[in-house]
Amino acid sequence: MLWNTLLLALREIRRNVLRSVLTMLGIVIGVAAVIVMVTLGDGATRQVTAQIESLGTNLLMITMGQRMGPGSGSNAPPFTLEDVAAVQREIGAASAVAGSASQAMTAVVGNSNWSTTVTGSDNRFFAVRNWTLDDGRLFTEPEQRAGRAVCVIGATVRRELFGYQDPIGQKIRLKQIACEVIGLLASKGQSAMGSDQDDLVVMPLRTFQRRVAGNQDINLIQLSVREGDSTEQVKADIERMMRERRHVHPADQDNFSVRDMKEIATMLTGTTRVLTALLSAVAAVSLLVGGIGIMNIMLVSVTERTREIGIRLAIGALEREVLMQFLVEAVVLSSLGGLLGILLALVASIGLASLLQVPFVLNGPIILIAFLFSAAVGVVFGYFPARRAARLDPIEALRHE
Amino acid sequence: MADATSDRSGPLIELRRVTKVYGRGDAAVHALAGVDLRIEQGEFVAVMGPSGSGKSTAMNILGCLDTPSSGSYRFRGVAVETLGRDQRALLRRRDLGFVFQGFNLLNRTSALENVELPLIYRRTPRAERHALAQRALALVGLNGREGHTPGELSGGQQQRVAIARAIVTDPHLLLADEPTGNLDSVRSHEIMTLLGGLNRDRGITILMVTHEPEMAAYAHRVVHFLDGRVVDESAPEQRS
């Protein structure tokens, strides 16, 4: 009987192909929109997470002042080499600690020049930030100690200053110093915040302090926490130690901050998630509108087929059999819409993912949920018209013109 | 074969003081004002009367599509007035066949599928359904037209499909509401001959509303309605 009802529903839908397709359109668009939103959202989240992981999730950053961004560290004292050494010495869970100082500068090679960020640090900087070399080498111990004019450059700097030439052994002019390129870093691409991570020049800290900055300041201490150790705990330890070293009065706020990359990762993916949920909710409204469209057409259909319903009732169809017939028709209509929507969504998300350069992440559960939801829309919005059909008086229905 | 005096114990149909009132109070219309009627198994009864005489109301009640306001209706001993909507539907499905003036076939549906419709609700297996429907169509003389839709058939042929649909379940009672009302004289007589044959050869009890004495002449008995009452039961006028 159910099989018969199903065949009947399919035939009825085929009989009015154009009308059926137009009726389904709302569901198709709704389902497609929800799936595309969630798929792209997942892709974006995956991308952000991957980028942050490339930075090292066990990374802690100690910066001056309270806040990141404009005005940070304006009146907070800088860190010193002794601070770096103290962190290295006293925080057992820190596997590598790198102090660094940075400055924006114009790098010149021949006729080309390029504004970039020059950072002074040591080899631990590369370890902490998960940098790997594409070519050349890192600093030697004598180079770091003596403050030689050598540097390691990122892929963007190489491209802008050297094009396709081999940069190793060439000299870059940074203010008054001519720096020899000894290493080329492997490209990391755009960061989660949208900045180009490959746009950097790194030189030994001593070289930077003596010949570029002219002071002994360190603006940033980065450390990686050993696998298995709680970053929360390490953070608390560092905060306590730094307050002491920087003589912060117990009543005052910290004049530095310790930031956890996990925190930043959660914050960034959280934003994406909220956005995805919001857009999906908007898309879901279209499903609702699609449901109302189905209800409308089913009501029209019941009116059009009043005589047919009368015939069926007269020859002995039960109320629930007529109800089922129309309900199944509505559900088949909406489920077909759901299936078409899923197909459309797959095509659209693959296309959009490559267009927006976001990885395509197939989300099985959301596809299943969208399909079940579309079927449920058929049940909910098909019920009222179906009940109206089932409750018709056979005598009246047979008289209907 | 089976005729007016069936060997079954008890009548097929028994109406006792059946009334049907529409509306209430001053606006009340007494469509039936106390009808008594007995129909035996195997009879062929014609119902006549002017419009508004209550014959359609009586047919709806006899067809279990409607219930009386008072009085009792026994169909094969079952008190129909006590049955609910679904139980009456099951009774129609099992024991009744309908033929209407306007044919009432499903549009854009083949003759065979139209005839199969009651069997679908009876959950008859597909193969048996085909065979029974084909046999019923052959019985009304429509072999070779199984695939035609109502739009591709003449009025007389459509009414034959409707009759095939009514008898495919082997009903005890065939209710025909002006079955020849939309047909010309030649087709009308063909249909009446067919109904007469079904009554005679297959023992199907037939109750037919008509306002043409010519058609009523095919019946064994004519019941006249006037103002919601049965006023006369007689043998039909002789066919010329």
Side-chain angles (χ1 to χ4, degrees), chain A residues 222-234:
Chain A
Q222 300 177 89
L223 62 141
S224 46
V225 176
R226 256 203 302 265
E227 206 67 50
D229 277 296
S230 147
T231 46
E232 293 301 311
Q233 184 57 48
V234 175

Side-chain angles (χ1 to χ4, degrees), chain B residues 46-66:
Chain B
V47 174
M48 297 189 79
S51 56
S53 63
K55 60 185 194 300
S56 293
T57 306
M59 285 297 272
N60 287 337
I61 289 173
L62 288 167
C64 302
L65 292 167
D66 208 349

Side-chain angles (χ1 to χ4, degrees), chain B residues 222-239:
Chain B
V222 181
V223 175
H224 289 272
F225 271 76
L226 189 65
D227 296 332
R229 287 174 210 280
V230 174
V231 291
D232 179 32
E233 291 188 48
S234 61
E237 298 161 33
Q238 275 305 299
R239 258 183 273 167

Side-chain angles (χ1 to χ4, degrees), chain A residues 61-65 76-84 87 99-100 209 215-222 238 242 245-246 255-258:
Chain A
M61 289 170 129
I62 312 171
T63 53
M64 304 180 306
F79 303 113
T80 60
L81 264 178
E82 286 74 51
D83 289 330
V84 179
V87 172
S100 60
Q209 289 177 332
N215 58 35
Q216 299 290 305
D217 297 352
I218 284 177
N219 337 100
L220 175 68
I221 301 173
Q222 300 177 89
I238 292 173
M242 290 307 272
R245 288 188 66 83
R246 291 163 73 85
N255 58 5
F256 62 91
S257 55
V258 184

Side-chain angles (χ1 to χ4, degrees), chain A residues 367-383:
Chain A
I367 288 177
L368 190 69
I369 288 169
F371 178 72
L372 291 179
F373 194 80
S374 68
V377 162
V379 174
V380 170
F381 290 96
Y383 183 77

